């Protein structure tokens, strides 16, 4: 009896090759595209480089037709709006910098779509993520970095638990991007050379500030840019335009370079400072999740990633409550951006992570 | 094994139709019916034979049948061909019509026409007196479906026909779902225009027809040729028309037998489902309903997932109308009937047809409740989240 796997397909080359590999490996593949954003669905509104448009579903559909497996579109717009988009806009308005891809994995792909898979009697759910899952002799599951370090997406998957890992497949985690494209070409898939979507799927032009302004115009307001000591250095059009550590686009002139150090959503003040004042000693994380499930040790050492494209920093994680932790860096760290995900690694393995609430000054 | 229970979306081609089309292909008949030469004349002869057969289905003279590419085109022709040229600005329809009526009406509305959309009652019945009351000497057109595609409600529209005649409005009937299931004599129904479609009666897709009562003022929407008495330019789908003609013959011949057969089978299925699924709700009237159509609200089930689960088990049904990208929108018909968004999203349309067998119904009766139990589990979790 073939095992059934629901493959989340974006229309991109990664999820398409993932589906193809699963077909080859003898699974009963069911392709599913998720309709997440209220995009126009007519052919007249073609726009390349997006996700969830008519075109993207067509690419996924054609792969399903070529490889001869059933294909459906699942409407998750309502949940995506409530759990991902609203969170995104809300975080910016609170002076934080959100990470919607982490949210989408936690709330949509491995929650709502997961329930769908169960209702459809699927044994597994699969995606085109660059990550790996290993199972040890004791039957415990481990989330690992992908073989292709440059493409590794394990950072976004830290919220997966044992139950989910037991029923998840990441078919391309063992491959490099080049191998994936080569495989797509060999299979004659239409999207072999399709450019990747570099941006957040619901903000394809990358203008996050503009998106927030259009979505919540009544909630954005101008404010002051203040230096150390309270000096008012300038004004801005909304705290959502800023992120901690930002240097450019401040609209002020100064002798030494100034960086955004803090954002106060109540006063709408954006505080700037010299670089060395941004270095944090640690951070407080909320919504902490550990992949193994339980953690017996009250504190443990790990390598901490505070942003997707950032090298790991050695540190000590101390759980203060079940889902709250203090992370102390071994040496003075970088600027801490509240709202981002902080992920704990040990070598290639993801131990878990949480959402950055604030920096620890020491 | 696939069990096809979506006949309201389209029917398999009847054996006699398949034979007729195969014969046409083998015959080498290739002329354009509009050509002067002998080959064209032979082609024209076949076209006219087909036309006569289709006309017999609606008990009208052959020359009153205009072939189109599909039911949607015929509906567009009825609306856009009548209203603008009429000199009047008011159009009456209902809220439960097919999108191929509602969309051109919305377009006319944007151009200044007043479009009245009469609401149905809770089982999809359109009160003909309500419609008649909306009609006046400014009414260009009344356009209504004779039997509803989503829930199967059969409308009684004699008062509408009478009032239309009195005020001088054109009366158009969308009979796409009624054809092959209800008697369609255009004089009995009192309509000036009527839409039918081949692939709903066991004919091939790609061909429909608009019945046009002689003396009805109608402007073409397809321009550029003298075909179809100047009402629809373009070389007709001869192969399709031949299939349509045979499908019309077969439908008339078998209508009563098939109606009995389908009434029985749908009742068996409904009984089975009612027994296994508590709180199952039938949308539409118990009796004045197409015998093949069962639109059912399944408690606690997300229709979209249910559709997928059934498809993976080989049962093919539908819900609402599919949008272009393939994700399903809840039915505007159910909403107009007063169903909540949740109820509409939990509703599935099962529609039987000429090829449905008792064995298929037996299997469906067993598989559908089983799939429902699995899918209903998911929706419960959704409610908690």
């Amino acid at each position: 009896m073939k095992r059934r796997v629901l493959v989340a397909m974006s229309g991109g080359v990664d999820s398409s090759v993932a589906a193809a590999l699963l077909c080859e490996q003898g699974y009963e593949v069911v392709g599913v595209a998720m309709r997440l954003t209220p995009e126009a669905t007519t052919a007249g509104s073609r726009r390349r480089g997006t996700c969830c448009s008519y075109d993207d579903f067509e690419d996924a559909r054609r792969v399903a037709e070529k490889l001869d497996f059933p294909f459906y579109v699942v409407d998750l717009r309502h949940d995506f709006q409530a759990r991902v988009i609203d969170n995104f806009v809300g975080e910016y308005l609170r002076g934080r910098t959100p990470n919607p891809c982490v949210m989408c994995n936690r709330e949509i792909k491995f929650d709502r779509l997961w329930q769908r898979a169960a209702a459809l009697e699927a044994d597994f759910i699969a995606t085109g993520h660059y990550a790996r899952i290993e199972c040890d002799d004791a039957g415990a599951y481990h989330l690992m970095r992908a073989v292709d370090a440059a493409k590794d997406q394990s950072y976004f998957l830290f919220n997966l638990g044992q139950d989910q890992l037991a029923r998840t497949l990441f078919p391309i985690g063992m491959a490099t991007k080049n191998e994936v494209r080569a495989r797509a070409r060999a299979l004659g898939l239409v999207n072999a050379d399709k450019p990747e979507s570099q941006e957040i799927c619901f903000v394809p032009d990358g203008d996050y500030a503009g998106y927030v302004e259009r979505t919540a115009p009544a909630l954005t307001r101008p404010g002051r840019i203040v230096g150390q000591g309270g000096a008012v250095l300038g004004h801005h059009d909304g705290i959502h335009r800023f992120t901690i550590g930002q240097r450019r686009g401040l609209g002020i002139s100064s002798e030494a370079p100034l960086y955004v150090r803090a954002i106060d959503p109540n006063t709408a003040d954006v505080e700037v400072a010299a670089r060395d004042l941004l270095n944090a000693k640690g951070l407080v994380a909320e919504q902490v999740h550990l992949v193994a499930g339980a953690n017996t040790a009250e504190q443990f050492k790990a390598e901490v990633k505070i942003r997707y494209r950032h090298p790991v920093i050695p540190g000590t994680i101390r759980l203060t409550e079940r889902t709250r932790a203090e992370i102390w860096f071994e040496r003075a760290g970088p600027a801490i951006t509240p709202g981002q995900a902080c992920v704990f690694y040990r070598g290639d393995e993801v131990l878990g992570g949480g959402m950055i609430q604030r920096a620890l000054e020491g | 094994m696939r069990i096809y229970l979506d006949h309201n979306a389209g029917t398999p081609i009847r054996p006699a139709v398949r034979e007729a089309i195969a014969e046409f292909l083998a015959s080498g008949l290739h002329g354009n019916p509009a050509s002067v030469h002998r080959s064209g004349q032979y082609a024209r002869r076949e076209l006219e034979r087909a036309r006569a057969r289709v006309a017999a289905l609606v008990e009208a003279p052959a020359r009153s049948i205009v072939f189109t590419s599909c039911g949607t085109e015929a509906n567009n022709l009825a609306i856009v061909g009548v209203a603008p040229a009429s000199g009047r600005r008011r159009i009456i329809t209902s809220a439960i019509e097919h999108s191929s009526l509602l969309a051109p009406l919305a377009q006319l509305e944007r151009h200044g026409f007043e479009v009245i959309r009469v609401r149905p009652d809770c089982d999809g019945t359109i009160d003909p007196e309500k419609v008649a009351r909306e009609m006046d000497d400014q009414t260009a057109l009344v356009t209504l479906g004779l039997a509803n595609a989503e829930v199967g409600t059969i409308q009684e529209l004699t008062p509408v026909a009478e009032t239309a005649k009195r005020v001088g409005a054109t009366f158009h009937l969308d009979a796409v779902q009624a054809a092959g299931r209800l008697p369609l004599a255009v004089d009995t129904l009192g309509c000036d225009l009527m839409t039918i479609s081949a692939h709903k009666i066991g004919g091939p897709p790609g061909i429909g027809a608009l019945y046009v009562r002689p003396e009805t003022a109608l402007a073409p929407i397809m321009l550029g040729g003298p075909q179809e008495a100047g009402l629809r330019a373009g070389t007709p789908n001869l192969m399709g028309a031949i299939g349509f003609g045979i499908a019309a013959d077969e439908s008339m011949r078998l209508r009563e037998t098939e109606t009995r057969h389908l009434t029985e089978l749908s009742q068996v299925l409904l009984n089975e489902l009612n027994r296994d699924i508590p709180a199952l709700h039938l949308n539409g009237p118990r009796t004045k309903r197409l015998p093949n159509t069962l639109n059912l609200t399944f408690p606690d089930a997300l229709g979209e997932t249910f559709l997928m689960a059934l498809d993976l088990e080989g049962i093919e049904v539908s819900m609402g109308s599919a949008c272009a990208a393939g994700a399903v929108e809840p039915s505007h018909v159910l909403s107009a009937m007063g169903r909540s968004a949740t109820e509409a999203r939990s509703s599935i349309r099962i529609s039987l047809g000429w090829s449905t067998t008792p064995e298929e119904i037996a299997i469906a009766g067993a598989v559908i409740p089983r799939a429902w139990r699995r899918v209903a589990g998911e929706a419960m979790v959704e409610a908690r989240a």
Side-chain angles (χ1 to χ4, degrees), chain B residues 2-263:
Chain B
R2 305 216 62 84
I3 295 177
Y4 184 74
L5 293 172
D6 194 24
H7 289 254
N8 284 8
T11 58
I13 292 179
R14 292 176 183 275
V17 172
R18 192 174 53 237
E19 274 159 38
I21 293 176
E23 220 176 276
F24 165 79
L25 289 171
S27 74
L29 191 68
H30 60 274
N32 185 322
S35 295
V36 166
H37 46 62
R38 207 80 177 98
S39 285
Q41 291 172 34
Y42 287 134
R44 191 191 168 96
R45 184 172 66 184
E46 288 312 309
L47 183 68
E48 294 310 313
R49 277 189 182 143
R51 193 188 306 279
R53 294 189 150 107
V54 172
L57 183 63
V58 303
E59 296 183 40
R63 63 188 155 75
S64 59
I65 295 295
V66 175
F67 283 120
T68 61
S69 61
C70 54
T72 293
E73 189 196 324
N75 279 345
N76 273 258
L77 175 57
I79 289 162
V80 180
V82 165
S86 67
R88 301 182 178 192
R89 304 303 276 177
R90 202 170 147 87
I91 303 170
I92 320 298
T93 187
S94 90
I96 59 170
E97 298 311 321
H98 189 262
S99 55
S100 62
L101 282 185
L102 295 179
L105 288 174
Q107 173 91 301
L108 289 183
E109 198 172 38
R110 285 190 284 275
H111 287 102
F113 280 82
E114 188 191 3
V115 176
I116 310 295
R117 296 169 184 86
V118 172
R119 301 194 70 78
D121 65 17
C122 63
D123 64 13
T125 303
I126 299 294
D127 180 353
E129 300 297 344
K130 248 203 227 175
V131 177
R133 278 197 295 276
E134 294 287 349
M135 292 162 63
D136 59 16
D137 60 10
Q138 269 310 290
T139 304
L141 174 70
V142 180
T143 170
L144 295 166
L146 182 55
N148 184 266
E150 307 270 353
V151 297
T153 308
I154 298 169
Q155 309 296 352
E156 277 290 333
L157 299 172
T158 313
V160 176
E162 288 165 356
T163 310
K165 207 177 163 74
R166 194 163 43 75
V167 305
T170 304
F171 180 29
H172 168 248
L173 271 178
D174 176 356
V176 163
Q177 294 295 339
R181 297 163 182 161
L182 303 174
L184 283 191
V186 289
D187 289 342
T188 310
L189 292 166
C191 59
D192 302 302
L193 301 168
M194 179 190 279
T195 298
I196 51 180
S197 166
H199 77 120
K200 299 297 197 323
I201 60 169
I207 181 123
L210 184 69
Y211 157 76
V212 182
R213 186 175 292 278
E215 311 308 322
T216 305
L218 182 73
I221 60 177
M222 288 281 285
L223 307 177
Q227 293 89 350
E228 302 303 291
L231 291 176
R232 198 273 187 182
T235 303
N237 177 355
L238 177 55
M239 184 163 67
I242 289 169
F244 197 178
I246 303 299
D249 278 356
E250 291 289 275
S251 299
M252 285 196 305
R253 184 172 70 82
L254 297 166
R255 183 165 64 78
E256 280 175 27
T257 320
E258 284 176 358
T259 299
R260 262 197 313 275
H261 181 70
L262 293 176
T263 305

Side-chain angles (χ1 to χ4, degrees), chain A residues 4 6 28 30 32 35 41-42 54 57 61 70 72-75 77 79 83 112 115-116 118-121, chain B residues 302 304-313 323-329 345 371 374-375 378 381-382 385:
Chain A
R4 179 177 288 172
L6 209 71
E28 183 204 333
V30 176
V32 165
R35 181 140 163 229
T41 53
T42 57
Y54 180 86
F57 291 168
R61 194 184 292 276
Y72 307 101
V73 176
V74 159
D75 186 353
R77 285 175 295 173
D79 286 310
R83 304 187 193 187
R112 294 296 288 116
Q115 288 160 20
R116 212 52 76 98
L120 297 173
E121 295 193 300
Chain B
L302 193 60
E304 185 187 77
T305 310
F306 198 13
L307 216 63
M308 289 166 61
L310 288 172
D311 189 44
L312 290 171
E313 297 247 36
C323 82
V328 176
E329 304 288 348
R345 290 205 127 95
R374 278 196 313 272
V375 172
E378 179 212 2
V381 179
E382 192 186 341

